[in-house]
Amino acid sequence: WIVDSSPGGNDAMSLSINHTSGLLTLFHQMDRLESQRSLTLARLATGKQIPKASANPAGLIAYNQLQAESAALDAAIGNNQRTRSMLDTADSALSQISSLVNDIQSLAVASVGDTATAEEKAANQMQIDSALDSIDRIINQTSFNGKKVFGGANQISTTVSNPSAITDVDVHSRTAGSGSTTLAANVVSVASAATTGGTSIADLSSALSAQTTITIGGKNGTATITLASGSNSSQILAAINSQKGVTGVSATASGTQLVLTSADTGADAFVSVSTISGGDSDFSSANLSPTYGTDAVVTINGQTAQTAGTKIMFSSGQLSLTANLASNTVGNHTITVSGGGATFQLGTNASDRRTMGLSALTTAALGRSGLGHLSDLRSGGSASVTSNPNGAALIAAAAPTQAGTASGRVGRVIRYQVDPTLNSLRATSEAVSSAASSIGDTDYAKETAALERQNLLMNASVSLLGVMNSSRNNVLSLLL
């Protein structure tokens, strides 16, 4: 070797075979490249950006959290889809019941008056019996996932301190997971029917001197009645009352004056009368614009409840119910909501739940106390169309509203709670999945390019290793 002998120059270019710093550097570089290539190959093989915790500890924590959130969202979506399926089942059943109730109402109204023969009424009664059987069968047999939809555990239980005063309590919803809730109901004033009492509309003191045609209007409808010449007060009252099922208006006599009164109470119950033709002086003034009844005034827990006649409608928070004032008298009562109902998990939090009541709308429940129920329309019942067509028509007129309201409540839960929640959960799930993918999924384009670079560098390192080995051989050649 050549030694620098210049002053101060005692460094030398040395050749050795035991220690070569360049070779160690090359080995270290090749080791790092192999480690990187192994990670790249693992990412390409597994499709995971973080195949092991050491690859990205912080990223793995974030990825696992997002995965857990995604799993919770998927479970919530499944819960809501099942809830919607159950409510769709209930809605379909209620739609059928609404159709049957409308048919019953049509048959009952068709049986009112003397125009329907006994044979026609008997035929109508047979159809009504069949429709009533269908309603009870639908309610009792409709099930979802092996569990009855209406009544049973899906009906919210209640007790009333005075059952003879407040009846037909139907709790539509309550706070999920809550215990017993007691409501203080105070009937401040009662409901009244619409009446012509105090107003002179017709004198019944003498028989009609000429044929007279009048129109009676009420909440249920309007009827045109022709009173024959010579009709006395009893015949006039009978003619008007024969259409009570159509109009919802009954006639009585107060002294010599005709008094018309609505069968129902409330601000939507009215009575109107007008003379269409006829020269009899007794009905010359029988023209009266609609006169209306009044609703009851009721407070529950100090909050004024909405009322329609004797019907109470109350909502506070998640609690919602309806009831009826059977006695229609003032006083204080308590309603206790004790539990039950169908509880649906909407969101990912355990507290994000809703409990709704799915009462059994059987023929014994459709209608109301004081008026009657659809079950009374059966053959042999107190309101069959063969024995009491007016009563049948009045009861049947109230049932469609109940069935429609029940169907509307189910539809409201679907439209304003389940469907929006589903849409929100799906959008959130998509965003969370995208975020998790950006952290945890392999970018194949990026990793393929990285692998190509690593392979090139490794090939270059192998070539350099050959050069380094050649240098060692040169050292050995000096000894030969």
Side-chain angles (χ1 to χ4, degrees), residues 361-384:
L361 289 183
T362 60
T363 57
L366 289 167
R368 70 171 185 271
S369 300
L371 176 65
H373 298 88
L374 280 186
S375 56
D376 297 330
L377 273 66
R378 293 185 182 276
S379 294
S382 60
S384 66

Side-chain angles (χ1 to χ4, degrees), residues 229-374:
S229 177
S231 296
N232 58 30
S233 60
S234 297
Q235 293 170 325
I236 292 171
L237 294 177
I240 296 174
N241 287 329
S242 69
Q243 298 298 312
K244 179 180 178 181
V246 176
T247 62
V249 176
S250 61
T252 57
S254 177
T256 61
Q257 290 297 314
L258 172 66
V259 177
L260 302 176
T261 305
S262 65
D264 216 341
T265 60
D268 60 347
F270 70 93
V271 171
S272 67
V273 58
S274 61
T275 300
I276 297 177
S277 64
D280 191 279
S281 59
D282 292 345
F283 275 85
S284 60
S285 60
N287 289 283
L288 180 68
S289 298
T291 179
Y292 295 88
T294 60
D295 297 325
V297 177
V298 180
T299 63
I300 296 182
N301 285 356
Q303 175 183 329
T304 301
Q306 183 180 356
T307 54
T310 58
K311 184 177 182 180
I312 305 169
M313 294 158 282
F314 175 74
S315 294
S316 178
Q318 293 185 21
L319 177 64
S320 174
L321 62 82
T322 58
N324 184 58
L325 298 175
S327 63
N328 197 26
T329 56
V330 298
N332 295 312
H333 314 281
T334 59
I335 301 173
T336 302
V337 180
S338 52
T343 299
F344 306 121
Q345 179 70 39
L346 296 178
T348 56
N349 295 324
S351 60
D352 193 2
R353 296 180 293 168
R354 296 293 183 275
T355 298
M356 71 176 299
L358 292 170
S359 300
L361 289 183
T362 60
T363 57
L366 289 167
R368 70 171 185 271
S369 300
L371 176 65
H373 298 88
L374 280 186

